[in-house]
Amino acid sequence: MITANVGRALLVTAVPLLAVADLLRIEFVYVAALLIGALTVVFDVAYQSYLPTLIGKEHLVEGNSKLQGTSSLAQIGGPGLAGLLIGWVTAPYALLINGASYLVSVVTLLAVRRPEPPPVVPERRTGLWKSVGDGIRIIRDSAHLRACALQSGLYNFCWMSLQTVFVLYAARRLDLSPGTIGLLLGTGAVGSLGGSLVARSLKRAMGLGPAILGALVLCCAAPVIIPLAPANDGILTLVLFVAAFALIGAGGTMANIHIISLRQSITPDDLLGRMNAGYRFVSWGMLPLGALAGGWLGDLIGLRETLFVTAGAFLSAVLVVLLSPVWRLKDFPPQIGAEPDGPGEPEESEKTAVRS
């Protein structure tokens, strides 16, 4: 995590420094963006794998709720702060401040004093693609992880389709300004903050599986509000859009908190990195496909019609969880490879997966 943030700080600050020296080329911006994205994935996979060591698996829901809440606050305030900084000190200096923020993160990570167990060194060094394959196999062989990864991929596919088409629909059909569209999409972060505050209570009240299912129903049913909103009704249309994106954000965040906690709880520590990397590969790999599908379908049948189709497709993520043992969980199941114990033993599909 520390190395990833140092790398991101150097890449971000290099852009304005090269611009001032009149050495900046668009090719460097492409490479910097690619490397920053790669380091972001490294950081995210590492922090999700490190969290159980830091706080203990008994506090995972609380820890993930706080991290999601912090992320939501950053999503709410970050774009506005960026605009103020660009207007105040101009874009190059805003990037320098952004680069410095990564160094602040480095300092806070260095302040973490809890010792981390040394990583298990394999007898034989494994290559990149074998490690990715191992992570995907861990997910494939667990009924719980498999269902979570599949619903996440389907949800992300639909979300990118919705987001891509909504921007075009709002701009072309409703004649909304870019600022208004940005504010509408930003209400999802406000909903996310609310979801992060109640996720822990939802699990206590309903149990883990029903909490995941309920959150998914909320975020997967809300998108239908968008195409149902009247196209030319001014304030009412905007209010319905705000409600839809806020509900999507709230439900999605609650589901994320519980699903991430479930993944961290049932995966042995020495497999967490590979599992999280494989999960991210499956889940985020659907994002560009969803954007392409949304654009293609929008051209084929129309923008509002595509929003209806996408809203219906969201329910496939709910169906995946309904057909899995996940929604019946009252609490975290035994860790992968652990012996089942008493009434909490896994479902038959999970026991078969553990043996394999």
Side-chain angles (χ1 to χ4, degrees):
M1 289 190 288
I2 292 169
T3 302
N5 273 348
V6 170
R8 289 192 286 185
L10 293 174
L11 288 165
V12 170
T13 54
V15 173
L17 293 176
L18 290 173
V20 170
D22 200 25
L23 297 173
L24 184 63
R25 295 173 58 87
I26 190 63
E27 291 82 2
F28 177 81
V29 178
Y30 291 150
V31 172
L34 178 66
L35 293 176
I36 289 170
L39 289 172
T40 299
V41 172
V42 170
F43 183 91
D44 289 351
V45 170
Y47 99 72
Q48 289 183 1
S49 304
Y50 175 55
L51 186 65
T53 298
L54 181 64
I55 65 174
K57 297 201 172 188
E58 67 276 14
H59 300 300
L60 283 175
V61 173
E62 180 183 0
N64 282 309
S65 296
K66 290 176 178 177
L67 288 174
Q68 290 286 334
T70 303
S71 176
S72 300
L73 284 173
Q75 291 175 34
I76 294 168
L81 180 60
L84 289 174
L85 285 174
I86 291 170
W88 181 33
V89 299
T90 71
Y93 291 104
L95 282 174
L96 286 175
I97 294 172
N98 188 19
S101 71
Y102 285 113
L103 296 180
V104 173
S105 177
V106 169
V107 172
T108 59
L109 288 170
L110 288 171
V112 176
R113 296 301 181 187
R114 187 179 183 89
E116 182 181 5
V120 178
V121 180
E123 294 181 4
R124 288 189 296 176
R125 189 176 181 85
T126 58
L128 172 64
W129 290 109
K130 186 180 185 307
S131 295
V132 172
D134 288 344
I136 294 175
R137 278 190 291 275
I138 294 165
I139 296 166
R140 181 199 64 192
D141 293 341
S142 164
H144 295 124
L145 293 178
R146 186 169 63 245
C148 291
L150 182 55
Q151 70 78 29
S152 180
L154 290 169
Y155 181 90
N156 283 345
F157 180 92
C158 295
W159 170 244
M160 277 308 297
S161 175
L162 175 78
Q163 201 170 24
T164 300
V165 176
F166 174 76
V167 171
L168 297 173
Y169 175 69
R172 294 179 181 177
R173 293 283 300 276
L174 306 184
D175 200 28
L176 297 181
S177 68
T180 301
I181 296 172
L183 286 173
L184 289 173
L185 294 173
T187 57
V190 179
S192 296
L193 178 60
S196 70
L197 296 176
V198 302
R200 192 179 175 198
S201 299
L202 187 69
K203 176 182 176 291
R204 280 203 301 262
M206 301 177 64
L208 178 64
I212 291 174
L213 182 61
L216 280 175
V217 169
L218 181 63
C219 65
C220 291
V224 77
I225 298 173
I226 295 170
L228 284 176
N232 299 301
D233 205 340
I235 295 299
L236 176 61
T237 301
L238 293 178
V239 168
L240 290 173
F241 285 166
V242 167
F245 284 112
L247 291 173
I248 292 170
T253 295
M254 288 189 289
N256 264 344
I257 288 169
H258 296 310
I259 288 173
I260 291 172
S261 301
L262 172 62
R263 288 159 44 197
Q264 292 167 330
S265 173
I266 68 175
T267 306
D269 291 344
D270 60 317
L271 300 177
L272 267 173
R274 278 172 285 178
M275 184 278 295
N276 283 322
Y279 194 98
R280 181 63 64 95
F281 182 81
V282 173
S283 177
W284 282 37
M286 299 300 288
L287 292 172
L289 298 178
L292 288 171
W296 172 78
L297 199 57
D299 279 339
L300 186 66
I301 65 173
L303 297 175
R304 192 174 190 183
E305 292 77 6
T306 301
L307 289 172
F308 272 114
V309 172
T310 302
F314 266 103
L315 298 178
S316 62
V318 179
L319 184 61
V320 166
V321 173
L322 272 174
L323 295 176
S324 77
V326 170
W327 76 275
R328 293 190 292 270
L329 291 172
K330 293 302 181 185
D331 210 332
F332 298 119
Q335 196 174 80
I336 293 172
E339 290 296 325
D341 184 20
E345 68 179 324
E347 299 292 329
E348 184 61 35
S349 58
E350 184 69 6
K351 289 190 282 186
T352 302
V354 169
R355 285 199 301 270
S356 65

